[in-house]
Amino acid sequence: MANTILISFCLFTLISIIIQFAIGNAQSSCNGPCQTLNDCAGQLICSNGKCNDDPRVGSRVCSGGSGSGGGGGGGGGGGGGQCRPSGIHCRGKSYPQYSCSPVVSSSTPAKLTLNDFSEGGDGGGPSECDNNYHSKSERVVALSTGWYNGGSRCGKMIRIVARNGRSTTAKVVDECDSRNGCDKEHAGQPPCLNNIVDGSDAVWKALGLDEDIGVVPVTWSMA
């Protein structure tokens, strides 16, 4: 009898620990409880202790009636399949526009592109976060609109991991605009895709990557 009670107690304790761990690591969906930005799924924000749409990036997950949290990887940053593009036409071509990005995780798949953040470079005007230009020797990045999240990640460090096993950290200084483009402000470039980490020359060098490739798959997370 004593052994049965002891086994039951151990099983109950183990189940309780598993449930608490799952709750502690889960991301809340619409109106779910939160304390920080990372507690909310996709591009939802934490407002007054609850996860809700972010008007700065145009997410409409909650207002659109979908309360599902976002999936990982290539899922929509606004939750599951909610990240659908509209379109813009320029120079005779059609390009997608996004207001959201895939869900940020501890290993978020992305495409690393090369950008010149210095004055006169292909980044156009100064960086949006600090209104400054940055030399090629600085490890800085611009994030797609959804990941940029209205500037909430400005000045924060992210960790980027390449497929060759090398990793580096870089500071977020700008938005890789996924909604607008093809104008002077964007140096005539079309909108970014919604899964872009646009890195400086120093970032590519730190990862040991060939800049001539132009686009490489990586993963990233908050550092």
Side-chain angles (χ1 to χ4, degrees):
M1 182 67 178
N3 287 339
T4 302
I5 295 175
L6 178 61
I7 293 173
S8 298
F9 176 76
C10 290
L11 287 173
F12 176 78
T13 302
L14 179 61
I15 292 172
S16 298
I17 292 173
I18 293 173
I19 292 174
Q20 290 176 2
F21 178 81
I23 292 175
N25 286 275
Q27 287 185 313
S28 296
S29 55
C30 292
N31 296 315
C34 64
Q35 294 181 336
T36 68
L37 173 69
N38 292 330
D39 292 335
C40 298
Q43 294 308 312
L44 300 180
I45 61 170
C46 186
S47 177
N48 297 321
K50 291 186 177 182
C51 296
N52 213 326
D53 287 321
D54 186 349
R56 297 170 300 179
V57 299
S59 59
R60 298 183 179 86
V61 182
C62 302
S63 60
S66 172
S68 61
Q82 296 296 319
C83 198
R84 298 185 179 92
S86 54
I88 183 175
H89 293 272
C90 62
R91 297 194 296 273
K93 293 184 179 181
S94 179
Y95 298 94
Q97 295 170 288
Y98 292 91
S99 293
C100 49
S101 294
V103 176
V104 176
S105 67
S106 60
S107 182
T108 312
K111 293 180 179 179
L112 179 68
T113 54
L114 179 64
N115 190 14
D116 183 355
F117 293 85
S118 62
E119 188 169 5
D122 53 18
S127 297
E128 191 168 322
C129 289
D130 54 15
N131 200 37
N132 290 323
Y133 292 101
H134 296 270
S135 70
K136 292 184 177 182
S137 62
E138 295 181 71
R139 295 197 311 274
V140 294
V141 297
L143 298 178
S144 291
T145 294
W147 289 337
Y148 182 72
N149 200 32
S152 68
R153 292 189 168 95
C154 275
K156 295 183 179 180
M157 302 298 291
I158 68 170
R159 179 170 298 280
I160 307 166
V161 181
R163 288 189 173 179
N164 61 11
R166 296 181 64 169
S167 67
T168 189
T169 57
K171 184 195 293 186
V172 178
V173 298
D174 206 353
E175 174 186 13
C176 193
D177 200 333
S178 304
R179 292 176 292 187
N180 306 292
C182 303
D183 53 18
K184 184 177 180 181
E185 180 183 352
H186 298 85
Q189 299 185 54
C192 284
L193 294 176
N194 69 336
N195 61 343
I196 297 297
V197 174
D198 203 19
S200 63
D201 183 82
V203 170
W204 281 70
K205 281 183 167 56
L207 293 172
L209 299 172
D210 182 359
E211 297 174 13
D212 291 334
I213 297 176
V215 181
V216 296
V218 295
T219 60
W220 74 275
S221 62
M222 298 306 298

